[in-house]
Amino acid sequence: MPKISLVNKDIVQFNRRTVSNNRSFVMSLRSSPRVIIIGAGAAGISAASRLVENGFTDVKILEAEDRIGGRICTRDFGDGIVDLGAQFCRKDSIVYNLVKDFNLLETRRIDTHVYHSKCGRLQDGFVKILLDKVYDLYHQKEQAENVEWKQYLMEKFDEEISDHFTSEPEKSLARDNLDFVKKQLLLVTGSVCLNSVYGAVSGEYPPDFRLIWKSHGYQSLLDILMKKYLNTESTLQFADKIMLKNEVAKIEWGDENNVRVVCENGSQYFADHVIVTVPLGALKKQHKTLFYPSLPLRKQKVIESLGFGTILKVVFYFPTKWWTGNDFQFAWGEDDLNCALEGEYSWVTNCMGFFQVSNNPNVLMTWFVGNSISQIESCVDDVLLNGAYYVLQKFLGGTFDNISKPIKLERYGWSSNRHFGGVISYETLESKSNGVTGETLAEVVVSKNGSPQLLFAGEATNKIGYGSVNGAVLSGFREADRIINFCK
């Protein structure tokens, strides 16, 4: 292998002038451009499907895990399936447009009841006002410069309460729901705490989570991208393109004609273009050793300064269905919260509530947010089962007298898995001050000949799609189109 040298000190966007100046090089690529995609998540599968559909035959996907999907993780559980990663579909998204003709989605029509640790079920009107204030805070924050979420919330929350609740008892109760409000913001920002967080996941609140998968889960999207769902001769030939359990150890770039990709198992591959869809959490830990030579400083800066948070979903199976047709969210009062944090199951204070799963009658799903997720991921099943029963009795014991203890569970440890390191990207005060965003991460690293040599895809590279499969799919299409247009 010839010695690799850094040929570009800056990341530059690919442009048509560079192509025209290197016409002979482009011609050599037209015959059989070699493309390696690192990661078989939504971005990687989207990129590969676009390339294959456009006649690219030398496409390989290297996946570190033993499955495809990335942060899409559909599992059999209970009497149906559960999605331990991506779960909901927005109607105005690219995902919806891809799957809408297959009768896979339905509208979710389940009301949510909020229970306070001391006061029981909160009145729907009170909850609506409280959530409206969160909505107002969220959108006012867009105009607040150089302030992190935690500071902003502390400064504005009491002001909103004073202005919009009339009686002193209501104001007092609203203030005692500060932890509930924090959890709403942790969910939409994707962070484990509100310190340093500047932006939000996808620029909108509340999220429109009304469309759910009927029976097949988010895995259906991947099947449609690969045309497996059609079960026809048009199925794309992916079987020989995806290489599971093939973790990439080093990407050697900068040579005029080749990128060399070396895997932990000793295998190596050569490519003209490499699309990197590695999650931001993994890039943060690995980018200094993964790329040789090192990435340009601007690219390193965005990887290190963007935030990467996590949300943990745990699904529980109950021997009997004891609940009614509603979801349940929990709001800890300040005194009860402090007491619980000193107890045996302190981590349950990070539980947002319990939610029904479509077509799975004996299953409830809980969402955990906040800084205890790593601890929860390391807990043995029995501890989680006992903790779930404890928090259900704490909040719902006065409403349901027949709550049963769950007997089994399913989860996926996103933050503890070094191939992910979490699930959601977000902007921080540091990234804002550095002037970098997901769009910076998406900038192409080109070779001396002007070829787009290292391309980056994934939800973290799409500023308007942080934390969403929609952003991941769009990014995969974007980078595939970049290669297609280059090779024309």
Side-chain angles (χ1 to χ4, degrees), residues 27-278:
M27 290 294 291
S28 68
L29 285 178
R30 282 178 177 172
S31 57
S32 183
R34 302 161 298 170
V35 182
I36 290 177
I37 300 169
I38 301 175
I45 296 296
S46 298
S49 67
R50 181 83 98 193
L51 290 167
V52 173
E53 284 180 332
N54 281 272
F56 284 67
T57 57
D58 196 346
V59 177
K60 294 181 177 65
I61 307 176
L62 305 180
E63 170 56 52
E65 295 281 299
D66 60 0
R67 61 178 183 86
I68 69 168
R71 282 162 278 177
I72 292 175
C73 184
T74 304
R75 294 270 179 89
D76 292 325
F77 184 76
D79 299 320
I81 59 93
V82 292
D83 276 311
L84 300 177
Q87 181 177 353
F88 300 104
C89 178
R90 290 186 174 89
K91 194 168 183 177
D92 59 349
S93 66
I94 185 66
V95 174
Y96 175 79
N97 289 328
L98 287 167
V99 308
K100 65 181 180 180
D101 296 329
F102 295 91
N103 193 29
L104 293 169
L105 296 168
E106 61 186 2
T107 301
R108 193 170 198 270
R109 304 182 186 277
I110 299 177
D111 293 330
T112 300
H113 293 169
V114 179
Y115 286 78
H116 188 272
S117 60
K118 186 173 293 184
C119 304
R121 183 184 168 189
L122 300 176
Q123 293 183 355
D124 292 344
F126 175 87
V127 173
K128 183 180 184 306
I129 295 175
L130 191 64
L131 292 178
D132 283 347
K133 295 311 106 191
V134 178
Y135 177 90
D136 291 343
L137 285 168
Y138 183 94
H139 285 283
Q140 292 169 13
K141 174 70 169 65
E142 294 178 352
Q143 282 77 48
E145 295 289 337
N146 301 321
V147 59
E148 63 184 13
W149 262 108
K150 182 177 181 180
Q151 177 187 345
Y152 177 79
L153 181 62
M154 294 300 99
E155 292 175 353
K156 296 293 184 179
F157 181 69
D158 198 68
E159 178 183 319
E160 290 290 325
I161 296 305
S162 298
D163 288 347
H164 294 91
F165 287 95
T166 55
S167 68
E168 285 304 319
E170 280 188 326
K171 291 181 180 180
S172 177
L173 180 58
R175 293 188 181 99
D176 206 32
N177 276 276
L178 178 60
D179 182 71
F180 175 71
V181 170
K182 286 180 179 178
K183 286 185 173 62
Q184 305 302 312
L185 295 175
L186 287 172
L187 179 64
V188 297
T189 60
S191 56
V192 295
C193 68
L194 295 177
N195 290 332
S196 80
V197 181
Y198 181 85
V201 170
S202 57
E204 58 183 74
Y205 178 83
D208 180 10
F209 284 164
R210 296 191 61 80
L211 290 176
I212 59 173
W213 303 91
K214 288 183 178 180
S215 58
H216 293 82
Y218 231 121
Q219 178 70 34
S220 304
L221 170 66
L222 303 177
D223 292 339
I224 288 171
L225 285 168
M226 296 184 288
K227 293 189 166 55
K228 288 183 178 181
Y229 197 84
L230 299 174
N231 196 25
T232 67
E233 292 182 358
S234 64
T235 299
L236 301 180
Q237 299 303 310
F238 267 73
D240 62 340
K241 300 184 186 303
I242 302 176
M243 301 173 187
L244 301 177
K245 300 172 69 173
N246 223 6
E247 182 175 354
V248 172
K250 190 173 289 294
I251 302 170
E252 297 178 343
W253 63 279
D255 182 56
E256 292 184 4
N257 299 315
N258 287 309
V259 182
R260 179 175 179 249
V261 179
V262 182
C263 296
E264 293 283 359
N265 61 15
S267 60
Q268 62 178 353
Y269 306 88
F270 294 91
D272 301 299
H273 317 284
V274 173
I275 303 177
V276 180
T277 74
V278 177

Side-chain angles (χ1 to χ4, degrees), residues 294-399:
S294 299
L295 291 173
L297 292 179
R298 179 170 163 83
K299 186 76 79 175
Q300 294 186 49
K301 182 179 291 186
V302 68
I303 290 172
E304 292 167 1
S305 61
L306 281 178
F308 198 67
T310 193
I311 295 168
L312 174 65
K313 293 193 281 188
V314 183
V315 287
F316 296 94
Y317 182 86
F318 295 82
T320 58
K321 182 181 177 181
W322 49 264
W323 55 89
T324 56
N326 303 298
D327 291 338
F328 311 101
Q329 282 204 56
F330 301 151
W332 289 90
E334 184 176 1
D335 291 342
D336 289 334
L337 177 63
N338 292 333
C339 182
L341 287 172
E342 297 177 358
E344 181 180 3
Y345 302 111
S346 60
W347 48 268
V348 301
T349 58
N350 291 86
C351 167
M352 293 200 67
F354 284 75
F355 309 89
Q356 297 188 58
V357 178
S358 178
N359 302 311
N360 218 334
N362 283 47
V363 171
L364 289 177
M365 172 181 288
T366 184
W367 293 50
F368 289 96
V369 296
N371 55 15
S372 294
I373 289 181
S374 295
Q375 176 189 352
I376 298 168
E377 288 183 350
S378 66
C379 286
V380 298
D381 286 3
D382 283 346
V383 171
L384 292 181
L385 293 170
N386 291 335
Y389 185 58
Y390 161 78
V391 76
L392 285 168
Q393 288 286 1
K394 170 70 177 176
F395 282 90
L396 303 179
T399 303

Side-chain angles (χ1 to χ4, degrees), residues 250 282-295 300 303-304:
K250 190 173 289 294
L283 280 178
K284 283 178 173 291
K285 297 178 180 178
Q286 302 170 18
H287 77 88
K288 290 185 177 180
T289 58
L290 183 61
F291 296 94
Y292 180 81
S294 299
L295 291 173
Q300 294 186 49
I303 290 172
E304 292 167 1

